[in-house]
Amino acid sequence: MSATPEFPWKSTIALTAEGRRRRVAVIGAGAAGTMAAIFAAQSGAETVLIERTKDGGRKILISGGGRCNILPAQLDESRFVTDSSPNTLRKIVRSWPLREQIAFFETELGIVLTEETASNKLFPASHKARDVRDGLLALAATCGVRFIPETLVTGIAPHGEQWNLTLDGASTIDADAVIIATGGLSVPNTGSDGTGLRIAGALGHTIHQLYAALTPLIAEPAPFASLSGVSLPVTITAQSMTHTATATGGFLFTHHGYSGPSALNVSHVVVRAPLNSASPAQLFVQWTSLNASDWERALQPHGNRTVLGALRSEMPDRLAHALLDVAQVDPTRSLADLRRQERLTLIETLVRGRLPWTSDDGYKKAEVTGGGVSLADINPKTMESQKHPNLFLCGEILDAFGPIGGYNFLWAWATGRAAGIGAAQSRM
């Protein structure tokens, strides 16, 4: 592809002091790794992309229910979670603005994006995740990236001014720069097993506490098992001794607990609580858009209207029955006969109802890994390690994640691009 003013990094050829093309090895052909390989190659580096599975990009394929929520339609940087410096995180996110990422996919990959306005998400117009994964790998190949599938990197070590990669089967690869893009621990059946985190830790990087994030919550025995399949928008808050998170959005009752974007977006507080304290986190739900004052008015006497009738107008019937049961209010009671204390108890249940839980689905169903390599250990402009020159890290391995809605792909694309360009730069 020809150079354009929008993509100035393509115009230089990465050469070593000996005058040969710079060799870059990217470990992991997921979202971040494939993007890193593309930009390393476009920047002139001789690039190899090493992947343990036979095809790569498996999380891309399963994302968004197979449609791939490629990016958010609008970005709120404050929704990212990290134990590192929020300022460093913002610098990284801003290194490749959302509008430029959109332009890359539509112009470079030829993938038209469409907005799901109700959820503020961008999807490929085809609604096929495979188009995204295949498009990225095809662009990488066009740029000259050599793809090495079904190969596990078991270790990396500095070797003079280069890096030596040990592969399963005892073979090795030498590279001028290495990019670790192996993901975290989430959805292990896609090939994520924490190898990169172990390698980064062994090389002296600080690994902030790891935990499953954006994972469904479990309540056993399930107090709301009869509501399985019921969904509605709610506002949910998770509070622990050390963390608090609030999210508004879709909520789903399951056979064993709770899911949906709002529940997933606060799950990290629930997951982390037992890791940091003996006290479990608490969950509180505002079941509708009505606040306490709104419900005070809604529950005032109105002809022969019953309490159940008042709740039914704002939520699914089955949920109305369940919440009245929790509040111990007779659903057939007329609003005129509702005693003051009953009304106050019911309103508390409706606007700040406790949601019981016992555990979570862990990494098996987590959308992403929380924690990871401290952002203090990388250069936010190039993603180069502060511990070792010519070593770069990107994607889920880093200590940052965002909410449901394309944020984690945005992070993968931005950090992968920065790592690819940085790794290809000559150290002359």
Side-chain angles (χ1 to χ4, degrees):
M1 296 184 179
S2 60
T4 67
E6 290 82 7
F7 308 109
W9 58 85
K10 297 182 189 177
S11 60
T12 58
I13 300 298
L15 300 178
T16 66
E18 296 80 22
R20 61 173 174 78
R21 290 177 66 198
R22 190 167 163 83
R23 299 190 192 106
V24 173
V26 183
I27 309 173
T34 306
M35 191 65 78
I38 288 170
F39 279 89
Q42 286 186 342
S43 298
E46 178 185 332
T47 307
V48 294
L49 178 58
I50 307 168
E51 167 61 28
R52 67 177 300 172
T53 69
K54 67 178 181 180
D55 47 10
R58 294 191 175 184
K59 284 186 180 177
I60 296 176
L61 293 179
I62 65 174
S63 68
R67 297 189 297 147
C68 187
N69 175 199
I70 200 167
L71 285 167
Q74 294 179 320
L75 177 64
D76 180 355
E77 295 171 352
S78 69
R79 300 189 70 189
F80 281 98
V81 177
T82 182
D83 285 338
S84 303
S85 163
N87 184 53
T88 300
L89 186 150
R90 285 192 293 271
K91 288 180 180 179
I92 295 171
V93 170
R94 293 173 185 178
S95 69
W96 199 16
L98 174 59
R99 66 182 182 279
E100 294 183 13
Q101 293 198 26
I102 293 171
F104 170 84
F105 281 98
E106 295 198 322
T107 303
E108 291 283 281
L109 260 65
I111 296 177
V112 177
L113 303 183
T114 184
E115 180 179 352
E116 187 178 82
T117 54
S119 62
N120 193 39
K121 298 176 181 178
L122 293 177
F123 293 88
S126 66
H127 294 285
K128 294 180 180 178
R130 187 170 295 277
D131 289 350
V132 179
R133 195 280 304 270
D134 292 353
L136 288 168
L137 289 175
L139 179 57
T142 299
C143 294
V145 175
R146 178 188 170 203
F147 183 46
I148 307 176
E150 298 183 281
T151 301
L152 177 65
V153 176
T154 56
I156 67 172
H159 180 64
E161 295 184 357
Q162 293 185 314
W163 284 87
N164 181 264
L165 288 71
T166 303
L167 313 179
D168 53 352
S171 60
T172 61
I173 289 179
D174 289 327
D176 297 300
V178 174
I179 301 174
I180 302 178
T182 51
L185 294 163
S186 61
V187 199
N189 62 5
T190 61
S192 299
D193 66 354
T195 295
L197 287 162
R198 290 191 292 272
I199 291 174
L203 289 169
H205 298 88
T206 299
I207 309 295
H208 286 168
Q209 183 183 64
L210 301 172
Y211 53 92
L214 308 184
T215 191
L217 301 174
I218 295 173
E220 291 184 336
F224 297 114
S226 63
L227 299 180
S228 179
V230 171
S231 64
L232 73 163
V234 306
T235 296
I236 183 170
T237 298
Q239 293 180 337
S240 72
M241 297 290 290
T242 54
H243 298 89
T244 299
T246 297
T248 298
F251 178 92
L252 173 68
F253 289 96
T254 68
H255 288 293
H256 304 290
Y258 323 106
S259 189
S262 63
L264 298 183
N265 284 338
V266 302
S267 64
H268 62 282
V269 174
V270 175
V271 173
R272 299 189 74 179
L275 303 177
N276 301 313
S277 169
S279 301
Q282 293 184 315
L283 292 172
F284 302 95
V285 183
Q286 180 179 326
W287 291 105
T288 72
S289 61
L290 275 61
N291 60 27
S293 297
D294 295 330
W295 276 115
E296 278 281 4
R297 289 189 290 271
L299 294 175
Q300 291 302 309
H302 184 74
N304 294 324
R305 194 175 199 187
T306 65
V307 181
L308 177 60
L311 267 62
R312 273 177 171 169
S313 65
E314 300 293 338
M315 65 183 65
D317 180 75
R318 282 195 287 163
L319 177 59
H321 277 280
L323 294 180
L324 287 169
D325 185 58
V326 170
Q328 297 184 325
V329 174
D330 183 350
T332 64
R333 179 82 59 83
S334 71
L335 293 175
D337 293 334
L338 191 63
R339 294 188 292 271
R340 180 176 181 276
Q341 189 55 51
E342 289 179 316
R343 185 172 66 255
L344 293 176
T345 298
L346 178 56
I347 290 174
E348 178 71 9
T349 300
L350 294 169
V351 302
R352 192 173 166 80
R354 286 182 179 270
L355 192 66
W357 65 275
T358 54
S359 61
D360 59 83
D361 271 324
Y363 290 115
K364 181 180 179 181
K365 293 187 178 180
E367 299 263 344
V368 70
T369 303
V373 175
S374 171
L375 300 185
D377 284 354
I378 62 165
N379 181 327
K381 292 183 179 180
T382 64
M383 312 312 295
E384 185 173 19
S385 166
Q386 303 280 27
K387 305 289 185 180
H388 297 277
N390 296 313
L391 176 65
F392 299 77
L393 304 99
C394 60
E396 192 178 344
I397 194 174
L398 298 171
D399 173 29
F401 74 91
I404 296 292
Y407 278 69
N408 294 300
F409 275 138
L410 181 144
W411 177 257
W413 312 137
T415 58
R417 170 186 177 271
I421 296 172
Q425 291 175 349
S426 173
R427 294 298 186 270
M428 290 188 294

